[in-house]
């Protein structure tokens, strides 16, 4: 058997694990590892400009590919800088393995230079973590970390590695384990057949059914099965912010996103439904509005790989714990069997009436059924996303930051495929968009990758423009320029009588066009609607250039619909500045 | 309702902090906590008592089960079980009080395990309720120090919590 140092083992294990990219930043505690990577490792390393960006880039890569993202950071500040990105991945159940350097074992606990208790600091935001005690543990720990990160409900796993563990002069036998067995970790492999049968009956008897699908369907590769089931039953589907693309956005049966800024027809259908099939979604507060008023007439079937997600906020009538793929496959079979054997439903008359009702809702206030926003002298943000959709043929990977621009992108870009929409839904991390786009672009260099952002968010990780220069990452940045922290301003308009406390930058914004030139990129300023489509086509035609489009939009526009809170139900919405349900 | 949750978990560094951290992170309360290695040195047994309605308890047990270090878990209060809390209590005992303290200890089947001219240290084992009753019977005036192990519990009959 081969003898390797700890540093060499890490390099080799990442190869053996089939890792495509390492996103990281060096420092004292990880220098042995970096030296080993430099000397002999087939896995390319991407040097970011801030460790937070390393985590977001790894995260973007993971969301777009389904494979775990890999991060390497040094101890102390390197590790703490990674925390926001780890929390972002945790909240959205994204597989990620974070290798963090640690001070030498004998210095731990002495407040040594650049010492932080990384295992402790990251504990509430990881799926699991390891502190390596001896170099010989490394292959096993790394194998376990990847297994835990990617299986069950995915999530980030931290491996904290004291510097002495990686020293080059101490070598040990290296053997990368073929398989992993962890006696205390056995995620469900299939759902409970009895429960699935009950669910099948309930769905076949439903008069006003809705499928509510979340990020779990994307993560669990369940999109095709879900689509098949929905079409078979002729049931309307709504996706969460995390689930966009789980069901084809341009399909007739798609109701749009639901929740706080969800579509009128989606929220109305949920509220009036008699049966909800929730798949890989978690009934979080941005979806449900007031829990006690949530969908009063609905029986709820809840499918999720994580039992803690079930009946956490909304009680499920038929809980089913299991992987989305296995459960949906069995559900489809059960439904077909019931239909064949007992000639059971679906109730076509009831469904026809239900669709008629849904079409009425769509005609009345549906965002895709008529123009639902004003005209003004400015470009409207919705028009920017519509143009982006048109110019990219609906095929782009779209990452976003957090704010109004994120909601407009979620509402107006119709995602027909899973993994194309990459955003921080759970944590809502401004600064996510650009580094995430880097990770996506590395994974899919031939695809269009657009980062929809705002002036606030982009400046939170703008240093990554330099990384894009170094690795030639020609992403397209679509800046919805409203000169405000727009989402904050919207709340201040609606709840604080327009007192814009700290939501303006006054005249402090940089000239983004010049800034792009400074980095060797291309900047474009667009302030006329008539120029928009031409300019955007031009930007996307520059295949090997990062282009930043600074698009001046109506600064006063709000995102609608918007749930009325507190105490509102799913169907209580503002539909425009002066119209409500 | 009061619950006794007993957990078999990996005897790994950090495992305990993950359990305890979960409670503070999610706003659950821990009333008592007891943990030690088992006959299998790779496993430790943790027993905790907590309060909550059925929904909260369901979430607590699910969240605990989700921790990678947790091997198995049982809510002992769901069935017949035995619970024991161990208390060492140091009380002032001078003059006539000495007899009275001893008599009360006897009634509760406590043992005096250390004697000083002015103090007794009494050891008492039983349900948490019984220990509470003893503390109440002693009255504040006498008590110098109380140390309790926290509840440890086990199911009655054949039922076992093991691998
Ligand atoms: C790191 C972080 N800090 C603060 C917030 C709170 N926040 C949510 S949206 C928003 C404004 C975003 O402004 P901008 O990026 O310009 O986008 P816009 O809403 O104008 O489209 C803020 C400050 C956040 N989500 N993330």
């Amino acid at each position: 058997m081969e003898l390797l140092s700890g540093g060499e083992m890490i390099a080799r294990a990442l190869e053996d694990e089939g890792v495509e990219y390492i996103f990281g930043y060096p420092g004292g505690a990880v220098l042995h590892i970096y030296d080993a990577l430099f000397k002999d490792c087939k896995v390319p390393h991407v040097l970011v400009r801030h460790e937070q960006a390393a985590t977001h880039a790894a995260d973007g890569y993971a969301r777009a590919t389904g494979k775990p993202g890999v991060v390497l950071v040094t101890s102390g500040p390197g590790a703490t800088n990674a925390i926001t990105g780890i929390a972002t991945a945790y909240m959205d159940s994204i597989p990620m393995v974070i290798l963090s350097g640690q001070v030498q074992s004998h210095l731990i606990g002495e407040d040594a230079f650049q010492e932080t208790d990384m295992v402790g600091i990251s504990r509430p935001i990881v799926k699991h973590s390891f502190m390596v005690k001896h170099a010989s543990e490394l292959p096993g720990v790394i194998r376990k970390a990847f297994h835990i990160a990617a299986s069950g409900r995915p999530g980030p796993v931290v491996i904290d590695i004291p510097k002495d563990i990686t020293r080059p002069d101490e070598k040990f036998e290296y053997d990368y384990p073929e398989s992993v067995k962890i006696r205390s970790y056995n995620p469900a492999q299939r759902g409970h057949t009895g429960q699935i049968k009950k669910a099948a009956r309930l769905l076949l008897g439903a008069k006003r059914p809705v499928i509510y699908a979340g990020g779990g369907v994307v993560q669990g590769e369940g999109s095709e099965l879900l689509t098949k089931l929905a079409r078979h039953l002729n049931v309307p589907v709504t996706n969460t912010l995390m689930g966009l693309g789980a069901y084809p956005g341009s399909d007739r049966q798609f109701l749009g996103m639901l929740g706080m800024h969800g579509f009128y027809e989606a929220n109305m259908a949920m509220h009036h439904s008699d049966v909800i099939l929730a798949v890989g979604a978690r009934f979080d507060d941005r979806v449900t509005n007031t829990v006690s008023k949530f969908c009063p007439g609905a029986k709820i079937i809840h499918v999720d790989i994580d039992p803690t997600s079930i009946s956490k906020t909304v009680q499920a009538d038929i809980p089913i714990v299991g992987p989305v793929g296995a459960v949906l496959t069995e559900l489809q079979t059960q439904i077909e069997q019931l239909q064949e054997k007992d000639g059971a439903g679906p109730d076509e008359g009831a469904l026809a009436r239900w669709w008629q009702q849904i079409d009425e809702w769509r005609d009345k206030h549906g965002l895709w059924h008529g123009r639902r926003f004003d005209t003004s002298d400015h470009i409207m943000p919705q028009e920017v996303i519509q143009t982006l959709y048109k110019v990219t043929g609906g095929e782009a990977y779209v990452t976003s930051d957090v704010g109004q621009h994120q909601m407009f992108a979620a509402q107006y870009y119709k995602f027909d495929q899973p993994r194309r929409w990459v955003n921080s839904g759970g944590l809502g991390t401004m600064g996510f968009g650009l580094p995430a786009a880097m990770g996506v672009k590395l994974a899919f260099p031939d695809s269009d990758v657009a980062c929809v952002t705002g002036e606030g968010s982009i400046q939170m990780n703008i240093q990554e423009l330099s990384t894009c220069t170094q690795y030639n990452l020609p992403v397209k940045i679509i800046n919805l320029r409203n000169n405000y922290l727009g989402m904050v301003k919207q709340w201040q308009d609606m709840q604080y009588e327009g007192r814009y406390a700290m939501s303006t930058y006054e005249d402090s914004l940089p000239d983004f066009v010049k800034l792009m030139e400074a980095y060797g990129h291309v900047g474009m300023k667009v302030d006329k609607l008539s120029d928009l489509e031409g300019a955007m086509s031009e930007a996307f035609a520059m295949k090997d250039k990062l282009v930043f489009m600074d698009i001046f939009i109506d600064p006063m526009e709000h995102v609608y619909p918007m749930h009325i809170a507190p105490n509102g139900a799913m169907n209580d919405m503002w539909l425009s500045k002066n119209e409500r349900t | 309702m009061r619950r006794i949750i007993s957990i078999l978990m990996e005897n790994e560094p950090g495992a305990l902090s993950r359990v305890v951290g979960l409670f503070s992170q999610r706003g659950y309360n821990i009333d008592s906590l007891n943990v030690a290695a088992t006959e299998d040195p790779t496993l430790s047994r943790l027993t905790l008592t907590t309060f909550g309605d059925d929904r909260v308890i369901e979430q607590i047990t699910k969240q605990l089960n989700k921790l990678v270090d947790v091997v198995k878990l049982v809510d002992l209060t769901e069935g017949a079980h035995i619970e024991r809390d161990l208390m060492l209590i140091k009380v002032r005992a001078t003059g006539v009080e000495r007899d009275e303290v001893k008599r009360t200890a006897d009634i509760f089947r406590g043992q005096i395990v250390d004697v000083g001219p002015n103090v007794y240290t009494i050891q008492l084992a039983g349900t948490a309720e019984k220990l509470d009753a003893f503390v109440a019977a002693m009255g504040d005036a006498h008590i110098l120090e109380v140390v309790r192990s926290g509840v440890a519990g086990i199911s009655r009959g054949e039922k076992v919590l093991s691998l």
Side-chain angles (χ1 to χ4, degrees), chain A residues 402-405 428-430 454-457 460 482 484-488 505:
Chain A
V402 175
Q404 292 181 312
H405 60 271
T429 309
M430 289 171 69
E455 332 75 65
S457 294
M460 282 213 179
N482 54 13
Y484 286 100
L485 293 172
M487 189 55 95
V488 172
Y505 327 90

Side-chain angles (χ1 to χ4, degrees), chain A residues 8 32 61 107 117 155 162-163 188 239 243 253 316 352 380 386 401 426 439 469 481 519 543 570:
Chain A
E8 290 163 348
H32 295 327
Y61 169 88
L107 293 176
D117 174 9
K163 184 170 185 179
N239 285 339
Q253 280 173 242
M380 299 303 284
Q386 286 174 335
D401 272 299
T469 310
R481 170 81 172 257
Y519 279 107
K543 291 285 175 205
M570 267 316 261

Side-chain angles (χ1 to χ4, degrees), chain A residues 266-346:
Chain A
N267 287 344
M268 293 298 277
M270 286 289 286
H271 188 81
H272 292 94
S273 64
D274 67 341
V275 174
I276 294 173
L277 171 62
V279 192
R282 58 190 178 90
F283 296 83
D284 79 299
D285 54 297
R286 283 299 191 262
V287 162
T288 58
N289 213 357
T290 311
V291 166
S292 58
K293 297 184 179 170
F294 180 76
C295 304
K299 284 252 182 289
I300 294 171
I301 305 162
H302 192 176
V303 181
D304 205 288
I305 184 72
D306 179 0
T308 69
S309 287
I310 295 177
S311 300
K312 180 165 64 179
T313 58
V314 171
Q315 196 70 29
D317 297 287
I318 306 183
I320 303 173
V321 177
V324 165
V327 173
L328 288 180
T329 306
E330 197 177 343
L331 185 57
Q332 177 89 26
T333 314
Q334 298 272 12
I335 286 172
E336 285 169 12
Q337 278 176 4
L338 283 175
Q339 284 176 296
E340 274 169 36
K341 268 201 316 222
D342 314 356

Side-chain angles (χ1 to χ4, degrees), chain A residues 340-451:
Chain A
E340 274 169 36
K341 268 201 316 222
D342 314 356
D347 183 339
E348 274 160 29
L351 281 175
R353 284 193 297 281
W354 183 223
W355 276 111
Q356 195 183 347
Q357 169 69 77
I358 288 169
D359 286 336
E360 278 169 30
W361 285 326
R362 282 173 161 167
D363 285 343
K364 214 160 139 203
H365 297 294
L367 294 186
W368 297 343
H369 303 260
R371 185 184 168 108
R372 306 295 171 190
F373 49 91
D374 285 338
T375 36
S376 77
D377 298 340
H378 296 88
I379 299 172
M380 299 303 284
Q382 297 90 339
E383 289 168 329
V384 179
I385 307 298
Q386 286 174 335
T387 308
L388 178 65
Y389 181 74
K390 193 171 161 200
V391 167
T392 57
E395 292 280 315
Y397 286 86
V398 179
T399 74
S400 97
D401 272 299
V402 175
Q404 292 181 312
H405 60 271
Q406 175 191 26
M407 292 302 129
F408 289 128
Q411 290 178 336
Y412 284 91
Y413 201 102
K414 300 179 193 175
F415 294 93
D416 276 339
Q417 294 170 66
R419 302 198 178 282
R420 295 287 164 126
W421 167 239
V422 173
N423 87 130
S424 166
L427 199 67
T429 309
M430 289 171 69
F432 175 81
L434 175 58
M438 301 184 331
V440 176
K441 189 70 188 172
L442 282 162
F444 298 103
D446 298 330
S447 299
D448 285 331
V449 179
C451 165

Side-chain angles (χ1 to χ4, degrees), chain A residues 107-127:
Chain A
L107 293 176
I108 289 177
E110 294 186 357
D111 299 318
F113 178 62
Q114 297 194 325
E115 178 182 358
T116 326
D117 174 9
M118 180 55 168
V119 167
I121 285 188
S122 63
R123 189 193 45 70
I125 52 163
V126 296
K127 183 168 172 187

